[in-house]
Amino acid sequence: MSVYSMTGYASGRISPRKAVDAQAALPGFVIDLRSVNSRFLDLTLRLPDELRAHEPALRQLLTHGLKRGKVELRAALEGRSGGMVGDPPIAVLQQLASLQDKVRAWLPEAAALSVADVQRLTAGTGDGASEVPAETLLTLARRVLDDFTAARAREGARLAELLHARIAELRTLATRAEPLVPHAVQAQKQRFIARWNEALADAGSTVPTAAAQERALSEAAAFAIRIDVAEELGRLRAHLDEIESVLEKGGEAGKRLDFLIQELHREANTLGSKSAALELSRISVDMKVLIEQMREQVQNIE
């Protein structure tokens, strides 16, 4: 299954159709579908009045096909200029005339309704919605949604490729860090014992030498355990394995990847705070830079 980006765009159009024989005239319309990243699925439909009756079906279609992202569907009618002006129902025109008479009875100087006023007030009250059959609109919407999903899949594949590249770099850094750990621990242990002995000598302690040495070794061992980052490197590798598994599985991966990135960052931070060698500190910084780059990419994955 593919990994999908939450960023995408697709568009589709049906040209106007003139009345031919038994076929009724059909206005043209265009559908644009675009999205950016969001924590949840946030749908916005911008439809003309003639298509407003189809909003529930369009919303259901998008909800079924998408899981996350701030999605906007915009539809517009075409071919409405000139002879394609809508024909208001007679009943609506009669209602407007009656209303105008009442107003002018109380306000004789009120201006009469113009043709433009009538067209504006009766927009969407004619049979415009029926001119666009639901199946025609939904067929185009499905086609646009398929193109949109394909675009998000292509972008998702690119994001997955970038993440795999960062994972490879993190593995390389972990491999560089691993042989440094025992040397750093041993060096810190020796420095700890040396300082311990210096402190005892300066204090002129009366503690027997054997007891002092045993205490020094015990404290040095405890200190070595505190600065040993082998466990952090092991957990970091495990998180990288899990990220690769999630990317391979695909589907709704964004939230799980975001959690794993947080875990990676925690291990890299611990590695830096416990590092007893300059080289390990540098590796920790390089890791955090790569992890932050991964976090930015994961924010766009569905």
Side-chain angles (χ1 to χ4, degrees), residues 125-167:
T125 60
D127 59 352
S130 64
E131 291 180 5
V132 182
E135 190 54 40
T136 302
L137 179 66
L138 292 177
T139 297
L140 178 61
R142 291 189 193 99
R143 191 171 76 222
V144 172
L145 180 58
D146 289 342
D147 293 343
F148 179 74
T149 302
R152 296 200 348 163
R154 289 192 297 270
E155 179 66 14
R158 189 184 70 83
L159 294 176
E161 184 178 347
L162 291 174
L163 289 174
H164 280 300
R166 300 296 181 270
I167 289 172

Side-chain angles (χ1 to χ4, degrees), residues 13-272:
R13 178 176 180 272
I14 288 182
S15 301
R17 185 184 69 197
K18 296 182 179 179
V20 178
D21 297 331
Q23 285 187 327
L26 178 69
F29 55 95
V30 60
I31 293 179
D32 290 331
L33 191 59
R34 66 188 72 210
S35 71
V36 294
N37 60 317
S38 175
R39 292 182 60 192
F40 308 102
L41 181 60
D42 181 7
L43 297 178
T44 301
L45 277 68
R46 304 189 184 280
L47 307 174
D49 291 333
E50 293 87 346
L51 301 179
R52 187 66 61 187
H54 304 307
E55 179 173 346
L58 290 171
R59 189 173 292 274
Q60 182 179 7
L61 178 67
L62 296 177
T63 303
H64 180 73
L66 305 172
K67 303 303 178 185
R68 289 179 68 198
K70 185 176 178 62
V71 182
E72 179 184 83
L73 183 146
R74 187 182 295 270
L77 291 175
E78 294 183 335
R80 281 296 189 181
S81 59
M84 294 296 290
V85 175
D87 187 9
I90 299 299
V92 176
L93 292 176
Q94 290 174 341
Q95 184 180 4
L96 281 177
S98 175
L99 180 61
Q100 177 176 247
D101 291 340
K102 290 180 182 179
V103 170
R104 299 191 72 184
W106 288 93
L107 302 172
E109 296 182 0
L113 290 172
S114 66
V115 174
D117 292 334
V118 173
Q119 286 293 330
R120 177 174 55 82
L121 292 171
T122 60
T125 60
D127 59 352
S130 64
E131 291 180 5
V132 182
E135 190 54 40
T136 302
L137 179 66
L138 292 177
T139 297
L140 178 61
R142 291 189 193 99
R143 191 171 76 222
V144 172
L145 180 58
D146 289 342
D147 293 343
F148 179 74
T149 302
R152 296 200 348 163
R154 289 192 297 270
E155 179 66 14
R158 189 184 70 83
L159 294 176
E161 184 178 347
L162 291 174
L163 289 174
H164 280 300
R166 300 296 181 270
I167 289 172
E169 293 181 63
L170 285 170
R171 289 191 186 280
T172 299
L173 289 174
T175 301
R176 279 176 48 196
E178 194 167 29
L180 298 175
V181 174
H183 296 295
V185 170
Q186 185 62 29
Q188 284 296 106
K189 183 177 179 181
Q190 294 300 326
R191 283 196 290 269
F192 185 90
I193 293 175
R195 290 176 182 175
W196 176 278
N197 291 332
E198 289 176 5
L200 288 178
D202 292 341
S205 175
T206 57
V207 178
T209 304
Q213 188 69 14
E214 183 179 351
R215 177 67 183 275
L217 290 174
S218 175
E219 292 290 337
F223 180 72
I225 292 174
R226 290 198 299 272
I227 66 172
D228 189 354
V229 293
E231 184 177 348
E232 282 73 16
L233 290 175
R235 285 198 296 265
L236 186 139
R237 285 196 175 94
H239 295 327
L240 293 177
D241 290 341
E242 183 63 18
I243 290 175
E244 288 184 321
S245 175
V246 172
L247 290 174
E248 183 68 24
K249 183 179 179 181
E252 299 176 52
K255 291 183 179 180
R256 182 162 183 80
L257 288 174
D258 187 57
F259 170 77
L260 290 169
I261 293 298
Q262 293 179 33
E263 294 300 305
L264 279 181
H265 200 273
R266 182 178 292 108
E267 301 304 337
N269 269 335
T270 306
L271 175 64

